[in-house]
């Protein structure tokens, strides 16, 4: 079987709603494929009981249909669905890269981003590329309708996953329809600061660039314990904290690998004080999907 490791991802990064994303070094989905007469899917691992194995309802199955690549697809989930850490996107990305290789389709990684985004549309209702782009390309990505820009970046991170359920549908429903000119100027300033920080590998600039006052505060209300966890992580040395994707995951940027431990502890303790179980991944910006023969 051909095996692909496709990383979890964090979309939005505060100021880049539906645009920015980054690949996490861990966790990841492992997708294994072999040729077959028809598409079949088996899912194991984190939250597998919630994931449909019907190919027309599964992101990887839709990707197989898009690539006309019938296969037996085994998905070992690294992160549960509805986490804010790009769970369904990792499966879509892993399947796209694996089936392209298995059937020698010859698509570029950029082309596979669009195919995997079609798989994402099954679960989110819209073909967002802000999770599949970093899972396929790695690093920091800027996904727009006119194409994806990838930046190799390296930063220590903590991704914290509280044991709460926030559906992407609910998280999109609370997003305001309009912004003021002041809010737009503030968001553009943050997004530019974050992008420059990614280029320079500067955790302070990236942390400042996460700041955003339209989408994030509305979504934070859906995450019990978020504000306390955010404050605790900043006190513990994080340069910035935001909601990961549609939540409930939380992303913290750290200055050094050594800072991750205390930031992770601060997040876990704060969620614990709020009566919420959580787990934390001490991670970093990572590479895109990797193929293992
Ligand atoms: N950008 C998307 C959102 C990511 O925040 O809703 C989740 O699909």
């Amino acid at each position: 079987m051909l095996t692909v490791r496709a990383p979890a991802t964090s979309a939005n990064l505060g100021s880049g709603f539906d645009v920015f994303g980054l690949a996490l070094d861990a966790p990841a989905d492992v997708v294994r494929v072999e040729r077959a007469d028809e598409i079949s899917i088996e899912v194991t691992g984190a939250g597998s009981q919630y994931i449909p194995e019907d190919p027309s309802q599964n992101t990887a199955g839709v990707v197989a249909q898009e690539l006309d690549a019938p296969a037996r697809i085994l998905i070992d989930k690294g992160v549960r669905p509805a986490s804010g850490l790009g769970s369904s996107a990792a499966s879509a990305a892993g399947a796209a890269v694996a089936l392209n290789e298995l059937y020698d389709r010859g698509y570029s990684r950029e082309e596979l981003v669009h195919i995997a985004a079609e798989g994402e549309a099954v679960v989110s209702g819209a073909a967002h590329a802000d999770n599949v782009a970093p899972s396929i390309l790695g690093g920091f990505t800027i996904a727009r309708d006119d194409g994806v820009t990838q930046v190799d970046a390296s930063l220590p991170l903590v991704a914290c996953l509280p044991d709460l359920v926030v559906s992407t549908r609910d998280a999109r429903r609370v997003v305001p329809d309009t912004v003021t000119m002041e809010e737009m100027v503030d968001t553009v300033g943050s997004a530019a600061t974050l992008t420059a920080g990614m280029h320079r590998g500067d955790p302070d600039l990236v942390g400042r660039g996460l700041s955003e006052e339209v989408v994030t505060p509305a979504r934070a209300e859906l995450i019990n314990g978020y504000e306390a966890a955010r404050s605790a992580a900043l006190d513990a040395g994080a340069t910035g904290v935001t909601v990961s994707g549609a939540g409930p995951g939380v992303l913290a940027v750290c200055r050094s690998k050594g800072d991750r431990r205390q930031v992770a502890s601060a997040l876990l303790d704060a969620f614990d004080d709020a009566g919420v179980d959580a787990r934390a991944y001490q991670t970093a910006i990572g590479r895109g999907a990797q193929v293992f023969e």
Side-chain angles (χ1 to χ4, degrees), residues 11-12 16-19 120 124 128 130-131 168 171-172 215 219 245-246:
N12 300 336
F17 177 59
D18 279 354
V19 175
E120 266 285 78
S124 69
H128 296 296
D130 54 352
N131 285 111
T168 302
R172 292 194 79 82
V215 180
R219 287 179 161 186

Side-chain angles (χ1 to χ4, degrees), residues 155-247:
L155 282 178
L157 305 168
V158 174
C160 181
L161 179 52
D163 193 6
L164 299 168
V165 176
V166 175
S167 78
T168 302
R169 195 178 298 266
D170 288 344
R172 292 194 79 82
R173 200 177 291 135
V174 300
V175 174
D177 289 332
T178 57
V179 295
T180 64
M181 182 57 73
E182 194 183 345
E183 288 165 339
M184 193 199 75
V185 170
D186 176 65
T187 304
V188 169
S190 284
T193 301
L194 186 145
T195 306
M198 288 289 183
H199 264 289
R200 292 188 192 174
D202 181 330
D204 287 289
L205 284 183
V206 173
R208 276 166 49 201
L210 296 177
S211 162
E212 188 271 345
E213 293 300 328
V214 180
V215 180
T216 314
R219 287 179 161 186
E221 305 230 333
L222 304 176
I223 305 169
N224 187 16
Y226 173 81
E227 286 304 341
R230 178 173 182 275
S231 297
L234 292 172
D235 288 348
T239 63
V241 179
T242 193
V243 175
S244 181

Side-chain angles (χ1 to χ4, degrees), residues 66-150:
E66 292 282 323
L67 286 169
D68 190 19
R72 179 169 175 239
I73 303 172
L74 309 181
I75 303 171
D76 189 19
K77 299 295 300 173
V79 62
R80 68 163 168 88
S83 60
L85 298 176
S87 175
S88 58
S91 298
V97 171
L99 295 169
N100 184 52
E101 194 80 14
L102 185 72
Y103 277 92
D104 213 9
R105 291 283 186 257
Y107 287 111
S108 68
R109 290 253 169 163
E110 285 72 17
E111 288 168 326
L112 291 176
V113 168
H114 299 291
I115 293 165
E118 292 303 323
E120 266 285 78
V122 171
V123 290
S124 69
H128 296 296
D130 54 352
N131 285 111
V132 289
S135 191
I136 290 176
L137 301 173
F140 165 62
T141 54
I142 302 165
R144 290 167 44 110
D145 290 346
D146 63 358
V148 178
T149 305
Q150 191 269 0

